């Protein structure tokens, strides 16, 4: 290979002398990169969604092949994020596909050192029992001057950022109806 051909193969040379001064197209392309295809290209369908991890609400495109999520990328049509995702949002495919994803209720009893699996009905019954007991023990009907309070400071809710709008709406309604005041979500933190 001659020196001229060698230098002409440098991306920076092509960028400075060619038609791609920003180096985002032909100047940056190599024989290998020209042969690559995007892993989204073989998807059967694309669903629009919103990143569940924080309150920014970046738009996502969810690529599906054979009924399985194969890739999640930023949605260029989103006026919020214009195609961008932060590292958390970029990794949200793992929320669906990671082998580390928890699919069972996990419980560690007081003073226990190990976690155990619980079936969902048992876990829901345990939560209901605790809420009823805490509410009964901490209910404040009126203040010292007899003014109505009708509240409890004994129960609160801290939602995770992967809860969607509809779940958060229902959680807020439920906890307010039970008299709780402390109702928050990680996405607002
Ligand atoms: S976690 Fe990142 S990608 Fe997801 S909504 Fe927030 S800023 Fe956007």
């Amino acid at each position: 290979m001659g020196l001229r051909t060698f230098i002409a193969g440098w991306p920076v040379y092509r960028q400075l002398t060619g038609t791609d001064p920003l180096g985002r197209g032909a100047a940056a392309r190599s024989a290998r990169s020209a042969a690559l295809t995007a892993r989204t290209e073989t998807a059967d369908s694309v669903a629009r969604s919103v990143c569940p991890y924080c309150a920014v609400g970046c738009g996502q495109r969810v690529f599906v092949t054979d009924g399985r999520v194969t890739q999640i990328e930023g949605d260029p049509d989103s006026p919020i994020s214009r195609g961008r995702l932060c590292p958390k949002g970029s990794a949200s495919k793992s929320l669906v596909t990671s082998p580390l994803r928890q699919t069972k209720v996990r419980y560690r009893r007081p003073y226990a050192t190990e976690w155990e699996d619980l079936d969902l009905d048992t876990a829901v019954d345990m939560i209901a029992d605790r809420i009823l007991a805490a509410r009964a023990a901490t209910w404040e009907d009126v203040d010292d001057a007899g003014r109505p309070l009708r509240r409890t400071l004994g129960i609160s809710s801290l939602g995770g950022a992967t809860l969607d709008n509809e779940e958060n709406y229902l959680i807020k309604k439920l906890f307010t109806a039970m008299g709780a005041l402390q109702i928050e979500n990680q996405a607002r933190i």
Side-chain angles (χ1 to χ4, degrees):
M1 181 190 297
L3 183 61
R4 181 182 291 269
T5 311
F6 179 70
I7 291 176
W10 284 0
V12 70
Y13 178 83
R14 295 202 303 265
Q15 183 177 345
L16 293 174
T17 59
T19 57
D20 180 23
L22 296 178
R24 297 193 298 191
R29 194 166 295 141
S30 66
R32 182 174 178 280
S33 61
L36 294 175
T37 54
R39 57 193 150 180
T40 54
E41 231 165 64
T42 53
D44 300 330
S45 60
V46 184
R48 292 254 166 83
S49 189
V50 177
C51 175
Y53 279 134
C54 89
V56 175
C58 297
Q60 292 185 322
R61 289 187 179 181
V62 182
F63 296 85
V64 177
T65 304
D66 293 333
R68 302 186 66 83
V69 174
T70 50
Q71 183 64 13
I72 298 178
E73 296 197 345
D75 184 356
D77 292 335
S78 166
I80 307 296
S81 50
R82 293 173 290 158
R84 299 170 180 86
L85 293 175
C86 79
K88 270 200 308 183
S90 301
S92 51
K93 173 171 165 275
S94 298
L95 183 65
V96 186
T97 60
S98 171
L100 299 175
R101 180 183 177 191
Q102 291 296 339
T103 56
K104 293 184 177 149
V105 179
R106 302 285 282 156
Y107 179 60
R108 196 175 70 180
R109 294 180 187 279
Y111 307 110
T113 56
E114 302 296 328
W115 292 85
E116 60 186 279
D117 289 341
L118 285 185
D119 69 85
L120 190 56
D121 286 345
T122 303
V124 170
D125 284 347
M126 288 167 67
I127 292 167
D129 288 347
R130 284 160 170 75
I131 287 178
L132 291 174
R135 188 172 182 271
T138 61
W139 183 256
E140 297 173 87
D141 213 36
V142 292
D143 66 9
D144 292 342
R147 291 170 296 203
L149 291 175
R150 291 196 281 272
R151 72 181 188 189
T152 170
L153 300 181
I155 53 177
S156 60
S157 171
L158 175 61
T162 49
L163 293 166
D164 60 31
N165 282 350
E166 291 76 13
E167 289 164 333
N168 281 311
Y169 174 83
L170 292 172
I171 287 169
K172 168 72 173 142
K173 287 283 182 196
L174 173 65
F175 275 79
T176 300
M178 291 191 296
L181 301 183
Q182 302 141 151
I183 305 163
E184 191 48 277
N185 187 284
Q186 186 270 335
R188 273 169 29 98
I189 295 172

